[in-house]
Amino acid sequence: MDIDALNAEFGIAGILSFTQGRGALPMIEVDNGQARALISVYAGQVLAYQPSSATDDLLFVSERAYFAPSRGIKGGIPVCWPWFGPDPENQGRGGHGFARTLPWTVHACESRPDGSTLIRLGLADDEITRAVWPYFFNLWLEIRVGTTLALALTTRNSGDAPFRITQGLHAYFKVGDATQVRVEGLDGCDYIDKSVGGADAVIRQAGPVTVVGEVNRIYEQVPAQLCIEDPLLARRIRIDTEHSRTCVVWNPWIETARAMDDLDDADYRRFICVETVNTASEVIEIPSKGAYRLAAEYRVEPYP
């Protein structure tokens, strides 16, 4: 992608510009007075967001993250699509689909009347996608950077046959120490424990979610609002969702972090993932010419 051409067509003087980032990947930098943000056009991935009232970034990105074609970037908010987790058909395709490892197209960048900035990115089927997933689609991601960060992922089925998807906004939240945070809002929800060997165990959550070992859970029938309480960074992160009744909470803990080349051994303490998803029993069928919208809004508040 030509950075000069992107700036000429979509740049907003003093607010939004395109730059060449790590791995020579094109990035969108936003600084609109309400917040600063960094978005990778490759993967359609928000990598940083910091409201002007905050002292820390909302998001975590690993120092060892890959910034290279066909590799996922560890951190920020990856878009998992058209499947979440392992290949659902066991065909050897990569985990979490292909949207997070392809370049997206910039369709619009604009300043909103309320002072926020809206970015619209898109991904459409081509020979590469149809070779691994034989459907016709248009995928749109709207990112609004303001006093809150809002993402809306819309899938449109442009083909003649229905298709089924699972998907997710795989948010990595920066925390002071994962062992001291609490995820509120999931009390009483059943979850599938993916960290247990063999058959998945189904357990009912009692109280807030805390991290005292590996956490890899799919919660079902979850409420539309969740909250991460982080006493060390003295903040709450509120998560408001639309059209998602499943949520994944993930922290790799010590051994899994050590086994990942794109995580530092101590990174498990630096983040927790609370992911807005459609997965497990929540499989979405989209009819021909139909559409489905998954959305999340993130707000930083003082704590306590």
Side-chain angles (χ1 to χ4, degrees), residues 6 37 73 139 148 209 217 231 241:
L6 287 169
I73 302 172
L139 187 63
T148 64
V209 181
R217 302 173 182 174
T241 67

Side-chain angles (χ1 to χ4, degrees), residues 87-130:
D87 179 357
E89 297 176 1
N90 296 312
Q91 297 180 8
R93 300 172 297 182
H96 291 320
F98 50 74
R100 68 192 185 108
T101 57
L102 289 174
W104 289 52
T105 299
V106 181
H107 287 280
C109 298
E110 59 187 66
S111 294
R112 308 291 285 175
D114 63 0
S116 65
T117 306
L118 183 69
I119 298 100
R120 193 176 197 223
L121 306 176
L123 185 69
D125 64 273
D126 59 18
E127 291 182 359
I128 294 173
T129 67
R130 291 193 298 272

